[in-house]
Amino acid sequence: MAFWLARERRAQESSFIQRFDPRFWRVNFPRPAMASIVTTAPDAMQIDVELHHEGELVGLIWDSVDEIDHPLLAYETNRDYSNTTLSFRWQSDGVIPLDQVNGPTLTIEGRDEDGNARVWLVRLWNYAQGSPSDARIAIPFSDLEAGFNLPGERVHPADIDRLFISFVAPGYVSGSDNPLPERFNGRITISEVVADGRFAMLEIGDIRLPVHGERLATAYDDAYDQSPARIIRNLVGLGYREDLVHYVGMSHFMRLERQGGKLLVPPAGELCVPAIEWHRSFFDLARQTDLEAIASISYELFDAFCPESWKQRTLGGDPALTGWVPPSSLLSPANTEAMGWLKDATAAFVGLLEEAQQPVRVQIGEPWWWTTAQGEICLYDDAARDAFGGAPVAIPDMRQPLDAAQIALLEEAGALLAQSTAELSAHVRSVATGPVEMLLLAFTPTILDESMPELYRANLPVGWAHPAFERLQLEDYDWLTGGADGLRRAAYGFVDDRLQYPVARQDYLAGFVLRPEDAETFWARIDAGIDEAIGRDIPRRYVWAQPQVNRDGYTRLPTIEEDAMNAFDDVLYPFALGRNTSVAPEFSTSISVTASGHERRNSLWADARVHFDVGPGIRSETELSQLIAFFRARRGPARGFRISDPFDHSTNAMTDAPTMIDQPIGVGDGLTTDYQLIKSYGPGPEAQQRIITRPRGETVLVSVDGAATSDWTLSENGTLSFASAPPAGADIRAGFLFDVPVRFAEDRIDISVVNFEAGEAPSVPLIELREEV
């Protein structure tokens, strides 16, 4: 399927929004504070805050540069606010009111008339009419003054990067880490938002891509700062439909309480108010656009919020910590209190789904026993030790050979993990008022890590076998983006054999691209992985995840069913080509001549395109009739076919019998399994390479470091796929006979029997086809 990485909008559809449209504001704050923004009307938004410390400050932000939306949907950059006014109604509950010290303040970040970076602090109360908690505010940017009292310093309005409206809890002390007397909850409603004046409108991308059949994944930990309306707008505009996987996260949805001087999640799995309001809006807006939301929960929790007894631990007692900064930790499936918290939190999301009239679909995402980079499996927290008899056998390194007792412990751990997911599933079914769909997500590169061949016993238990869940979802992005296709394909077979889910009940998650510098390489592999899943008849495919899709401009286009008139008939031209056949390789070269007579030559094609005239090979009236029939069966030039070039059809010289060392086709890296068949013309690095898409399969011979191998299959379009990736540095070579994909060059062929009998050969031109690989 076609895709592209859009960097900017170029002639795609656009529209206009009022500057300061509530959908495009966002919030920001320091951890462990929490806030969210939701739209309540086209001109209104609601901000909920939940604070714990004296120094926590929440900001409501408008960015002059849109770095969140997909490039085809982003609003224009305009830093000039001159002669523009923002007006709105401000209503607040709980936060310090407008007229008090530390009351809501507009921070303007930009540059002065001389281009020097500046920050201006504008007291909103100076521009308000009404009460300190219910006022109408007008911000005239060309007549705006900073400072606590007026008159103050004039703000330069023509070069602004962003606006930041801050609000805090009573008792605010700047920079203080001291706890508030109790958890603080507040709410701000901003309504009747109007922009007026010179730059009151902004151009915005307004594309609506055709539905392409793929789905998208989102995550609250990535999107908590945005309005749900903004997320749904991007998702729908980019052609994603049916449903979405929404990971509720591991660091922002939970309510916290102070325990022993720390803020930790309490045993009751409550959600914080900002998360409740955000998900209430998100699930409802999804329903309004005919999208079903799959709520994804995991056994992962932000480490600083996780009670110590809940954490999985290594044999030496170290907690299971992920590589994120700051890290998250893995909950022990054996810990009753941790699993109780997870059940309660999941039940809360079930309630929000039902409130939004969404079907109850819940994904258990990547439940596993964590294994450290040193191969230490985390089976030794106190609850797990008790579950495994009090003194479980030591497994210091999963990368080393294991004995029968150690393998038995892994099997026992797998059974306990399966029991915990079964109990969570049962709890969801017990609290839901209607049908439930439970999904399991497994990450095969970790579960089936080649360096730890027994790990699957703990992390892919047979207790997950069909029909334990309604759907099985797999993701393998480490292998996918790393090019480890052999490991990926072997994993599909292994999981199928072990868990026995029908293909119709399997989903595939493709992605993700952590670093933008990898976008060009990784998105091509991700897109190919989606196409491969389509080829495996996987019915539901999800792109993971929306932040990277928007950041890199990944744009998936719909599959166009190939018209029969654009097909290729895998048949050989039926007549032998004699030596009278005309064969003409053609390149395309741009040549310019300078005023001094020197040439500048630029080769436009990497490979030649061959032209044939096969008319001289026709030897009888019977063959003339067969040629006409063959031409009609191909619908003239509409359908391609094979032809054997009499002068160049072998990798050994031009026509000699092939050997297994004829052509170097790649160097192993220990991961890559797919290698394109090629033929090189000329020696060394300057050799011209020809991609071979129509080899004769029965003639293919392959060697790895000079040794013959049959550990491969020949895929479509001349791709050699090894069952196991050749080792790093291995010299991979192949030899084979091949045909050329061609089509008739014209819509008609002129044949005269009289001229043929007089010895005049007809002209039947063919032209080589460029085939995608």
Side-chain angles (χ1 to χ4, degrees):
M1 183 184 288
F3 81 97
W4 61 299
L5 300 183
R7 302 303 184 190
E8 60 184 354
R9 195 167 58 255
R10 297 180 179 177
Q12 287 86 13
E13 289 293 325
S14 65
S15 183
F16 290 89
I17 60 167
Q18 181 178 256
R19 198 171 204 162
F20 311 119
D21 185 315
R23 293 173 295 176
F24 301 99
W25 291 79
R26 61 187 181 90
V27 291
N28 202 3
F29 44 87
R31 210 186 310 267
M34 186 58 203
S36 68
I37 175 174
V38 302
T39 53
T40 55
D43 64 348
M45 51 187 154
Q46 172 184 303
I47 302 93
D48 286 278
V49 300
E50 191 159 305
L51 308 177
H52 303 276
H53 295 98
E54 292 177 342
E56 290 172 351
L57 176 148
V58 175
L60 176 66
I61 300 169
W62 176 270
D63 296 296
S64 296
V65 181
D66 184 354
E67 295 182 336
I68 291 177
D69 295 297
H70 189 280
L72 300 182
L73 288 161
Y75 57 78
E76 69 169 302
T77 296
N78 186 345
R79 292 184 171 87
D80 193 347
Y81 292 63
S82 303
N83 301 308
T84 303
T85 299
L86 164 63
S87 61
F88 54 89
R89 182 181 180 184
W90 171 281
Q91 295 170 288
S92 61
D93 179 14
V95 301
I96 291 182
L98 290 164
D99 64 337
Q100 300 297 306
V101 174
N102 296 320
T105 301
L106 171 63
T107 300
I108 300 176
E109 299 174 354
R111 281 157 293 278
D112 62 19
E113 295 91 334
D114 298 322
N116 301 308
R118 285 297 309 276
V119 174
W120 294 276
L121 302 180
V122 178
R123 189 185 185 203
L124 289 184
W125 182 241
N126 292 336
Y127 295 89
Q129 292 184 343
S131 75
S133 60
D134 188 347
R136 296 184 183 275
I137 298 174
I139 308 295
F141 287 95
S142 286
D143 191 23
L144 196 60
E145 298 180 15
F148 190 81
N149 294 311
L150 298 181
E153 181 188 8
R154 292 293 293 267
V155 173
H156 180 60
D159 196 1
I160 293 174
D161 290 327
R162 72 171 186 168
L163 312 177
F164 185 110
I165 300 176
S166 58
F167 27 87
V168 296
Y172 172 76
V173 178
S174 178
S176 173
D177 291 330
N178 294 329
L180 291 167
E182 59 183 1
R183 181 186 68 246
F184 170 80
N185 284 94
R187 173 172 292 176
I188 298 94
T189 301
I190 296 177
S191 59
E192 302 173 36
V193 177
V194 175
D196 194 14
R198 181 182 178 190
F199 295 116
M201 304 298 290
L202 296 176
E203 186 178 4
I204 190 169
D206 194 29
I207 64 164
R208 182 64 67 95
L209 292 181
V211 177
H212 43 61
E214 308 312 316
R215 294 159 163 85
L216 193 61
T218 62
Y220 187 50
D221 284 349
D222 295 326
Y224 62 86
D225 61 330
Q226 305 167 43
S227 73
R230 190 174 193 172
I231 295 166
I232 296 294
R233 175 181 178 269
N234 277 266
L235 191 149
V236 173
L238 295 173
Y240 297 96
R241 293 297 189 277
E242 301 294 339
D243 59 38
L244 58 97
V245 168
H246 174 69
Y247 177 40
V248 302
M250 53 84 181
S251 61
H252 286 87
F253 72 80
M254 60 287 300
R255 168 152 281 176
L256 304 175
E257 69 175 25
R258 199 162 295 281
Q259 303 175 37
K262 293 183 178 180
L263 279 175
L264 302 174
V265 295
E270 295 181 80
L271 311 187
C272 64
V273 171
I276 291 173
E277 294 300 320
W278 193 96
H279 283 91
R280 179 175 283 139
S281 174
F282 182 71
F283 292 155
D284 185 60
L285 288 172
R287 177 191 56 79
Q288 292 180 34
T289 50
D290 296 323
L291 286 165
E292 294 183 2
I294 301 169
S296 169
I297 56 92
S298 74
Y299 284 45
E300 188 175 356
L301 183 59
F302 187 66
D303 181 64
F305 299 160
C306 185
E308 290 296 319
S309 63
W310 293 12
K311 300 176 184 179
Q312 296 179 24
R313 294 188 178 273
T314 66
L315 182 63
D318 295 325
L321 299 180
T322 64
W324 301 111
V325 179
S328 55
S329 189
L330 276 295
L331 301 176
S332 172
N335 188 289
T336 303
E337 193 172 73
M339 292 299 100
W341 174 85
L342 191 61
K343 290 174 184 177
D344 288 347
T346 305
F349 284 106
V350 168
L352 289 169
L353 286 170
E354 293 194 326
E355 180 184 331
Q357 300 177 32
Q358 287 270 6
V360 176
R361 303 176 66 188
V362 176
Q363 178 207 78
I364 304 178
E366 298 177 359
W368 53 28
W369 295 100
W370 188 251
T371 306
T372 70
Q374 293 73 39
E376 301 171 283
I377 190 166
C378 298
L379 298 176
Y380 300 98
D381 59 274
D382 289 345
R385 286 178 179 273
D386 289 344
F388 300 142
V393 64
I395 305 179
D397 191 344
M398 287 294 300
R399 299 168 298 182
Q400 300 300 318
L402 304 182
D403 61 28
Q406 292 170 320
I407 289 175
L409 176 60
L410 295 177
E411 295 282 2
E412 193 174 356
L416 193 155
L417 181 61
Q419 178 184 344
S420 76
T421 56
E423 290 175 354
L424 179 56
S425 297
H427 186 69
V428 170
R429 298 183 198 280
S430 71
V431 298
T433 61
V436 169
E437 181 180 81
M438 295 298 301
L439 305 92
L440 175 77
L441 174 66
F443 185 65
T444 51
T446 294
I447 293 172
L448 302 178
D449 186 340
E450 282 190 311
S451 69
M452 295 181 278
E454 303 296 343
L455 182 60
Y456 75 92
R457 299 178 185 276
N459 285 340
L460 194 71
V462 292
W464 286 348
H466 183 263
F469 300 92
E470 276 73 25
R471 302 195 69 79
L472 173 67
Q473 300 186 306
L474 298 179
E475 63 177 336
D476 53 16
Y477 59 79
D478 279 6
W479 286 341
L480 178 65
T481 56
D485 292 329
L487 296 175
R488 294 173 54 240
R489 292 164 188 159
Y492 301 148
F494 185 90
V495 173
D496 285 349
D497 289 343
R498 187 164 176 84
L499 300 187
Q500 298 291 310
Y501 281 83
V503 170
R505 291 193 172 274
Q506 292 188 36
D507 302 338
Y508 180 65
L509 275 71
F512 68 89
V513 184
L514 181 62
R515 298 183 300 268
E517 59 266 28
D518 292 326
E520 294 287 343
T521 300
F522 284 8
W523 280 115
R525 294 173 180 174
I526 290 167
D527 199 78
I530 295 171
D531 287 341
E532 182 190 61
I534 294 173
R536 293 191 290 119
D537 295 324
I538 301 298
R540 301 177 185 175
R541 288 104 30 207
Y542 299 83
V543 182
W544 179 268
Q546 188 179 48
Q548 291 81 34
V549 167
N550 286 3
R551 180 198 66 199
D552 298 333
Y554 173 72
T555 309
R556 178 87 173 176
L557 300 177
T559 298
I560 300 175
E561 292 297 329
E562 186 179 66
D563 188 271
M565 298 302 290
N566 292 324
F568 186 92
D569 294 335
D570 199 19
V571 297
L572 187 65
Y573 180 71
F575 311 112
L577 303 187
R579 300 192 67 81
N580 292 330
T581 298
S582 170
V583 180
E586 172 196 22
F587 281 95
S588 177
T589 308
S590 170
I591 301 175
S592 60
V593 181
T594 68
S596 62
H598 291 85
E599 290 185 349
R600 298 291 183 266
R601 297 179 297 278
N602 182 30
S603 182
L604 303 179
W605 293 354
D607 191 8
R609 193 179 191 190
V610 183
H611 295 255
F612 298 86
D613 190 338
V614 296
I618 302 301
R619 290 176 289 273
S620 68
E621 290 185 23
T622 299
E623 290 189 353
L624 276 177
S625 299
Q626 292 173 345
L627 172 63
I628 293 171
F630 188 81
F631 178 81
R632 291 177 70 92
R634 309 287 81 74
R635 277 81 165 172
R639 303 176 74 94
F641 56 94
R642 292 173 177 253
I643 193 170
S644 179
D645 184 340
F647 307 111
D648 184 8
H649 57 259
S650 175
T651 52
N652 186 4
M654 303 296 272
T655 59
D656 294 345
T659 74
M660 67 180 184
I661 59 170
D662 289 347
Q663 298 289 327
I665 62 170
V667 177
D669 59 9
L671 289 176
T672 303
T673 57
D674 292 357
Y675 295 86
Q676 178 64 43
L677 295 182
I678 59 173
K679 180 177 180 180
S680 299
Y681 297 82
E686 297 302 318
Q688 190 263 316
Q689 290 189 340
R690 180 182 190 179
I691 294 175
I692 305 300
T693 60
R694 299 291 166 177
R696 297 207 172 180
E698 70 279 6
T699 70
V700 177
L701 303 171
V702 181
S703 65
V704 176
D705 276 341
T709 178
S710 58
D711 184 33
W712 52 267
T713 57
L714 186 62
S715 303
E716 186 179 0
N717 289 350
T719 301
L720 201 67
S721 297
F722 288 89
S724 301
D731 179 31
I732 306 165
R733 291 176 172 261
F736 46 87
L737 301 178
F738 60 91
D739 298 322
V740 182
V742 296
R743 64 169 173 83
F744 288 103
E746 299 174 356
D747 281 312
R748 57 184 281 177
I749 53 175
D750 296 315
I751 295 177
S752 168
V753 175
V754 174
N755 292 345
F756 182 77
E757 289 177 344
E760 182 178 334
S763 176
V764 184
L766 309 178
I767 188 168
E768 183 178 3
L769 295 173
R770 289 269 196 260
E771 294 192 290
E772 293 185 4
V773 295

Short mmCIF file of all heavy atoms in Angstrom, two decimals, residues 392-428:
data_model
loop_
_atom_site.label_atom_id
_atom_site.label_comp_id
_atom_site.label_asym_id
_atom_site.label_seq_id
_atom_site.Cartn_x
_atom_site.Cartn_y
_atom_site.Cartn_z
N PRO A 392 11.48 -20.66 46.13
CA PRO A 392 11.60 -21.10 44.73
C PRO A 392 13.05 -21.22 44.30
O PRO A 392 13.93 -20.52 44.81
CB PRO A 392 10.89 -19.99 43.96
CG PRO A 392 10.94 -18.80 44.85
CD PRO A 392 10.87 -19.33 46.24
N VAL A 393 13.29 -22.12 43.37
CA VAL A 393 14.65 -22.35 42.87
C VAL A 393 15.17 -21.07 42.24
O VAL A 393 14.42 -20.28 41.67
CB VAL A 393 14.65 -23.51 41.85
CG1 VAL A 393 13.82 -23.16 40.62
CG2 VAL A 393 16.07 -23.88 41.44
N ALA A 394 16.47 -20.84 42.36
CA ALA A 394 17.08 -19.63 41.83
C ALA A 394 17.29 -19.74 40.32
O ALA A 394 17.74 -20.77 39.82
CB ALA A 394 18.43 -19.38 42.52
N ILE A 395 16.94 -18.67 39.62
CA ILE A 395 17.27 -18.55 38.20
C ILE A 395 18.03 -17.24 38.06
O ILE A 395 17.44 -16.18 37.84
CB ILE A 395 16.01 -18.54 37.31
CG1 ILE A 395 15.15 -19.77 37.56
CG2 ILE A 395 16.41 -18.47 35.83
CD1 ILE A 395 13.88 -19.83 36.72
N PRO A 396 19.34 -17.27 38.19
CA PRO A 396 20.11 -16.02 38.17
C PRO A 396 20.24 -15.40 36.79
O PRO A 396 20.44 -14.20 36.67
CB PRO A 396 21.48 -16.44 38.71
CG PRO A 396 21.57 -17.90 38.43
CD PRO A 396 20.17 -18.44 38.51
N ASP A 397 20.14 -16.21 35.72
CA ASP A 397 20.36 -15.68 34.37
C ASP A 397 19.57 -16.53 33.37
O ASP A 397 19.89 -17.70 33.14
CB ASP A 397 21.85 -15.70 34.03
CG ASP A 397 22.16 -14.92 32.75
OD1 ASP A 397 21.24 -14.64 31.97
OD2 ASP A 397 23.35 -14.60 32.54
N MET A 398 18.56 -15.94 32.78
CA MET A 398 17.73 -16.65 31.82
C MET A 398 18.48 -16.99 30.54
O MET A 398 18.02 -17.80 29.73
CB MET A 398 16.50 -15.83 31.47
CG MET A 398 15.43 -15.75 32.55
SD MET A 398 14.65 -17.37 32.86
CE MET A 398 13.96 -17.72 31.25
N ARG A 399 19.64 -16.41 30.35
CA ARG A 399 20.41 -16.66 29.14
C ARG A 399 21.24 -17.94 29.23
O ARG A 399 21.80 -18.39 28.22
CB ARG A 399 21.32 -15.46 28.84
CG ARG A 399 20.56 -14.17 28.60
CD ARG A 399 21.47 -12.96 28.61
NE ARG A 399 22.12 -12.79 29.92
CZ ARG A 399 22.94 -11.78 30.21
NH1 ARG A 399 23.19 -10.85 29.31
NH2 ARG A 399 23.51 -11.70 31.41
N GLN A 400 21.33 -18.49 30.43
CA GLN A 400 22.11 -19.71 30.63
C GLN A 400 21.21 -20.94 30.53
O GLN A 400 19.99 -20.84 30.72
CB GLN A 400 22.78 -19.67 32.00
CG GLN A 400 23.74 -18.50 32.18
CD GLN A 400 24.86 -18.51 31.17
OE1 GLN A 400 25.43 -19.55 30.87
NE2 GLN A 400 25.16 -17.34 30.61
N PRO A 401 21.79 -22.12 30.22
CA PRO A 401 20.96 -23.34 30.19
C PRO A 401 20.29 -23.58 31.54
O PRO A 401 20.88 -23.34 32.60
CB PRO A 401 22.00 -24.44 29.88
CG PRO A 401 23.12 -23.72 29.20
CD PRO A 401 23.19 -22.37 29.83
N LEU A 402 19.04 -24.01 31.49
CA LEU A 402 18.25 -24.21 32.72
C LEU A 402 18.02 -25.69 32.96
O LEU A 402 17.87 -26.48 32.00
CB LEU A 402 16.91 -23.49 32.61
CG LEU A 402 16.97 -21.98 32.32
CD1 LEU A 402 15.56 -21.40 32.28
CD2 LEU A 402 17.82 -21.24 33.35
N ASP A 403 17.95 -26.07 34.24
CA ASP A 403 17.68 -27.46 34.56
C ASP A 403 16.17 -27.68 34.71
O ASP A 403 15.37 -26.74 34.58
CB ASP A 403 18.44 -27.90 35.81
CG ASP A 403 18.06 -27.09 37.06
OD1 ASP A 403 16.91 -26.60 37.14
OD2 ASP A 403 18.91 -26.98 37.97
N ALA A 404 15.79 -28.90 35.03
CA ALA A 404 14.38 -29.27 35.08
C ALA A 404 13.64 -28.48 36.16
O ALA A 404 12.48 -28.07 35.95
CB ALA A 404 14.24 -30.77 35.33
N ALA A 405 14.27 -28.25 37.30
CA ALA A 405 13.61 -27.52 38.38
C ALA A 405 13.37 -26.06 37.99
O ALA A 405 12.32 -25.49 38.31
CB ALA A 405 14.45 -27.59 39.65
N GLN A 406 14.33 -25.47 37.33
CA GLN A 406 14.17 -24.08 36.89
C GLN A 406 13.07 -23.96 35.83
O GLN A 406 12.26 -23.03 35.87
CB GLN A 406 15.50 -23.55 36.36
CG GLN A 406 16.57 -23.41 37.45
CD GLN A 406 17.94 -23.12 36.88
OE1 GLN A 406 18.34 -23.70 35.84
NE2 GLN A 406 18.70 -22.25 37.54
N ILE A 407 13.04 -24.91 34.91
CA ILE A 407 11.99 -24.89 33.89
C ILE A 407 10.62 -25.09 34.53
O ILE A 407 9.64 -24.45 34.16
CB ILE A 407 12.28 -25.96 32.83
CG1 ILE A 407 13.49 -25.54 31.97
CG2 ILE A 407 11.05 -26.22 31.95
CD1 ILE A 407 13.93 -26.57 30.96
N ALA A 408 10.57 -25.94 35.53
CA ALA A 408 9.30 -26.16 36.23
C ALA A 408 8.83 -24.87 36.91
O ALA A 408 7.62 -24.57 36.93
CB ALA A 408 9.45 -27.27 37.26
N LEU A 409 9.77 -24.07 37.47
CA LEU A 409 9.39 -22.81 38.08
C LEU A 409 8.83 -21.85 37.03
O LEU A 409 7.84 -21.15 37.28
CB LEU A 409 10.60 -22.18 38.78
CG LEU A 409 10.36 -20.77 39.38
CD1 LEU A 409 9.24 -20.81 40.43
CD2 LEU A 409 11.64 -20.21 39.98
N LEU A 410 9.42 -21.83 35.86
CA LEU A 410 8.91 -20.96 34.79
C LEU A 410 7.50 -21.37 34.40
O LEU A 410 6.63 -20.50 34.17
CB LEU A 410 9.83 -21.00 33.58
CG LEU A 410 11.23 -20.43 33.77
CD1 LEU A 410 12.05 -20.59 32.50
CD2 LEU A 410 11.17 -18.95 34.18
N GLU A 411 7.25 -22.65 34.32
CA GLU A 411 5.90 -23.13 34.00
C GLU A 411 4.91 -22.70 35.09
O GLU A 411 3.78 -22.29 34.80
CB GLU A 411 5.89 -24.65 33.84
CG GLU A 411 6.70 -25.16 32.66
CD GLU A 411 5.96 -25.01 31.33
OE1 GLU A 411 4.83 -24.47 31.33
OE2 GLU A 411 6.51 -25.43 30.29
N GLU A 412 5.36 -22.78 36.33
CA GLU A 412 4.50 -22.38 37.44
C GLU A 412 4.23 -20.88 37.40
O GLU A 412 3.10 -20.42 37.66
CB GLU A 412 5.17 -22.77 38.77
CG GLU A 412 4.25 -22.68 39.98
CD GLU A 412 4.90 -23.20 41.24
OE1 GLU A 412 6.04 -23.72 41.18
OE2 GLU A 412 4.26 -23.09 42.31
N ALA A 413 5.25 -20.11 37.05
CA ALA A 413 5.07 -18.66 36.93
C ALA A 413 4.09 -18.34 35.81
O ALA A 413 3.26 -17.43 35.93
CB ALA A 413 6.42 -17.99 36.67
N GLY A 414 4.19 -19.07 34.70
CA GLY A 414 3.25 -18.86 33.60
C GLY A 414 1.82 -19.15 34.01
O GLY A 414 0.89 -18.42 33.65
N ALA A 415 1.64 -20.21 34.76
CA ALA A 415 0.29 -20.56 35.22
C ALA A 415 -0.26 -19.48 36.15
O ALA A 415 -1.45 -19.13 36.08
CB ALA A 415 0.32 -21.90 35.94
N LEU A 416 0.61 -18.91 37.02
CA LEU A 416 0.15 -17.85 37.92
C LEU A 416 -0.22 -16.60 37.12
O LEU A 416 -1.22 -15.93 37.41
CB LEU A 416 1.24 -17.55 38.93
CG LEU A 416 0.84 -16.70 40.15
CD1 LEU A 416 1.76 -16.98 41.32
CD2 LEU A 416 0.86 -15.21 39.83
N LEU A 417 0.59 -16.27 36.10
CA LEU A 417 0.29 -15.11 35.26
C LEU A 417 -1.04 -15.30 34.54
O LEU A 417 -1.87 -14.38 34.49
CB LEU A 417 1.42 -14.90 34.25
CG LEU A 417 1.28 -13.72 33.29
CD1 LEU A 417 1.22 -12.39 34.05
CD2 LEU A 417 2.42 -13.69 32.27
N ALA A 418 -1.26 -16.48 33.98
CA ALA A 418 -2.52 -16.77 33.30
C ALA A 418 -3.70 -16.69 34.26
O ALA A 418 -4.79 -16.22 33.90
CB ALA A 418 -2.46 -18.14 32.64
N GLN A 419 -3.49 -17.15 35.49
CA GLN A 419 -4.56 -17.07 36.49
C GLN A 419 -4.91 -15.61 36.80
O GLN A 419 -6.09 -15.26 36.93
CB GLN A 419 -4.13 -17.78 37.78
CG GLN A 419 -5.16 -17.71 38.90
CD GLN A 419 -4.66 -18.33 40.19
OE1 GLN A 419 -3.68 -19.08 40.20
NE2 GLN A 419 -5.30 -18.01 41.29
N SER A 420 -3.89 -14.76 36.89
CA SER A 420 -4.15 -13.36 37.22
C SER A 420 -4.92 -12.67 36.09
O SER A 420 -5.82 -11.87 36.35
CB SER A 420 -2.84 -12.62 37.51
OG SER A 420 -2.12 -12.33 36.34
N THR A 421 -4.57 -12.95 34.83
CA THR A 421 -5.30 -12.33 33.72
C THR A 421 -6.71 -12.89 33.63
O THR A 421 -7.65 -12.17 33.27
CB THR A 421 -4.56 -12.52 32.39
OG1 THR A 421 -4.34 -13.92 32.14
CG2 THR A 421 -3.22 -11.80 32.39
N ALA A 422 -6.88 -14.17 33.96
CA ALA A 422 -8.22 -14.75 33.96
C ALA A 422 -9.10 -14.10 35.03
O ALA A 422 -10.28 -13.81 34.79
CB ALA A 422 -8.14 -16.26 34.18
N GLU A 423 -8.51 -13.84 36.19
CA GLU A 423 -9.28 -13.20 37.25
C GLU A 423 -9.63 -11.75 36.89
O GLU A 423 -10.73 -11.27 37.19
CB GLU A 423 -8.49 -13.25 38.56
CG GLU A 423 -8.37 -14.66 39.14
CD GLU A 423 -7.48 -14.72 40.37
OE1 GLU A 423 -6.86 -13.67 40.70
OE2 GLU A 423 -7.39 -15.80 40.98
N LEU A 424 -8.71 -11.06 36.24
CA LEU A 424 -9.00 -9.70 35.80
C LEU A 424 -10.12 -9.70 34.75
O LEU A 424 -11.03 -8.88 34.79
CB LEU A 424 -7.73 -9.05 35.24
CG LEU A 424 -7.86 -7.62 34.71
CD1 LEU A 424 -8.43 -6.69 35.78
CD2 LEU A 424 -6.51 -7.10 34.22
N SER A 425 -10.04 -10.65 33.82
CA SER A 425 -11.10 -10.76 32.81
C SER A 425 -12.44 -11.06 33.46
O SER A 425 -13.48 -10.47 33.09
CB SER A 425 -10.75 -11.86 31.81
OG SER A 425 -9.57 -11.56 31.09
N ALA A 426 -12.45 -11.96 34.42
CA ALA A 426 -13.70 -12.30 35.11
C ALA A 426 -14.26 -11.09 35.85
O ALA A 426 -15.48 -10.89 35.89
CB ALA A 426 -13.46 -13.46 36.07
N HIS A 427 -13.37 -10.29 36.43
CA HIS A 427 -13.84 -9.10 37.14
C HIS A 427 -14.49 -8.12 36.17
O HIS A 427 -15.54 -7.53 36.49
CB HIS A 427 -12.67 -8.44 37.87
CG HIS A 427 -13.08 -7.30 38.75
ND1 HIS A 427 -13.80 -7.47 39.90
CD2 HIS A 427 -12.87 -5.95 38.63
CE1 HIS A 427 -14.03 -6.30 40.47
NE2 HIS A 427 -13.48 -5.36 39.71
N VAL A 428 -13.87 -7.92 35.00
CA VAL A 428 -14.47 -7.03 34.00
C VAL A 428 -15.85 -7.52 33.62
O VAL A 428 -16.82 -6.74 33.54
CB VAL A 428 -13.56 -6.92 32.76
CG1 VAL A 428 -14.27 -6.20 31.62
CG2 VAL A 428 -12.25 -6.22 33.10
#
